[in-house]
Amino acid sequence: MIVIASRNPGKVREIAALPAASGLEIQAISDFDNCPDITEDGTNCEENAVIKAVKYSLWLRRTHGIAPPVISEDSGLMVFSLMGWPGVHSARIAETEVERNWQVLDRLRGKHDRSAQFLAYTALAVNGMLVESWRGSVSGAIAEEPRGEQGFGYDPIFIDLKSGRTFAELDKERKNALSHRNLAWTQAFDYLRQHHLPVR
Ligand code: IMP
């Protein structure tokens, strides 16, 4: 069994549906009784991924007496001409997703360099110890205004350089194939298989 350290059922479903997850027995951390909320107080996304994996792994050992591989993820948008902002603050710079998109667009007004990256970090912990962490990234550019209806978060303002479309204008399969999240999770699942960690 592998435990996905996310309390968001939509995210867990999306991760479990990735090609790299096929054949793995996946359980969400929220399926365990009295699952606590973990404060994400790291200074960057990698630290937050590590904090969640290690703390949930410790919690499973102490409260349920088990030590399965626990994998977490933390992700965000990094805009180069804004010195990497919003980065680790991506989920919190404004109340709603629409407002968050406009905050980025407002700060970029008049700036020539609109290059950006989506970054995702995954971290694996077993028995309260960090085993490994991985990074997935996708490069793009910030649009002049939001476009498209698909996806979530900053998808309407993040342009895929190959197609010129925003992630919100791409269908789900196309976005998932390109995405930072897919890259970070695929590395984590491949590691489990290569190292024969208990995945069933
Ligand atoms: P978390 O990893 O769930 O904390 O997500 C961080 C924030 O980054 C999300 O709330 C989104 O605003 C943003 N984000 C991360 N990945 C994506 C993506 O694939 N598309 C759009 N926004 C994203």
Side-chain angles (χ1 to χ4, degrees):
M1 170 182 57
I2 299 167
V3 176
I4 305 288
S6 168
R7 301 181 73 203
N8 174 342
K11 202 175 200 178
V12 176
R13 267 197 305 277
E14 196 180 306
I15 293 160
L18 293 174
S22 119
L24 304 180
E25 189 196 309
I26 285 177
Q27 190 105 30
I29 193 72
S30 47
D31 292 342
F32 293 88
D33 288 343
N34 306 318
C35 172
D37 214 359
I38 302 271
T39 308
E40 299 181 25
D41 52 3
T43 55
N44 56 49
C45 294
E46 186 175 24
E47 273 181 32
N48 277 342
V50 169
I51 288 168
K52 284 185 274 189
V54 169
K55 290 197 173 170
Y56 276 125
S57 167
L58 274 174
W59 176 78
L60 280 175
R61 190 187 70 192
R62 287 191 188 135
T63 59
H64 292 74
I66 55 172
V70 176
I71 311 179
S72 65
E73 177 212 294
D74 206 65
S75 57
L77 174 72
M78 190 172 83
V79 181
F80 287 90
S81 62
L82 301 178
M83 295 192 297
W85 189 85
V88 70
H89 309 293
S90 294
R92 299 187 291 271
I93 59 168
E95 204 64 37
T96 67
E97 288 188 336
V98 171
E99 287 167 348
R100 290 197 277 274
N101 281 333
W102 279 106
Q103 283 235 5
V104 173
L105 294 177
D106 287 345
R107 287 209 189 190
L108 271 179
R109 219 160 289 292
K111 292 208 192 279
H112 179 66
D113 177 9
R114 303 184 74 87
S115 57
Q117 276 191 339
F118 272 133
L119 289 171
Y121 289 88
T122 45
L124 164 67
V126 179
N127 207 6
M129 284 183 290
L130 175 68
V131 178
E132 187 68 86
S133 64
W134 300 270
R135 175 181 173 278
S137 68
V138 57
S139 295
I142 302 298
E144 295 289 338
E145 55 185 23
R147 293 189 333 236
E149 307 295 327
Q150 314 279 325
F152 71 100
Y154 298 99
D155 284 346
I157 61 167
F158 189 86
I159 297 176
D160 161 44
L161 298 177
K162 259 197 194 139
S163 64
R165 295 172 175 220
T166 68
F167 270 20
E169 291 176 313
L170 298 177
D171 59 44
K172 200 167 145 196
E173 288 70 30
R174 179 97 189 97
K175 183 201 156 181
N176 285 347
L178 295 171
S179 96
H180 50 309
R181 183 164 299 104
N182 184 2
L183 289 170
W185 281 97
T186 299
Q187 291 174 81
F189 290 142
D190 287 351
Y191 181 96
L192 292 180
R193 288 198 181 86
Q194 282 158 17
H195 291 80
H196 308 289
L197 284 163
V199 292
R200 294 197 153 273

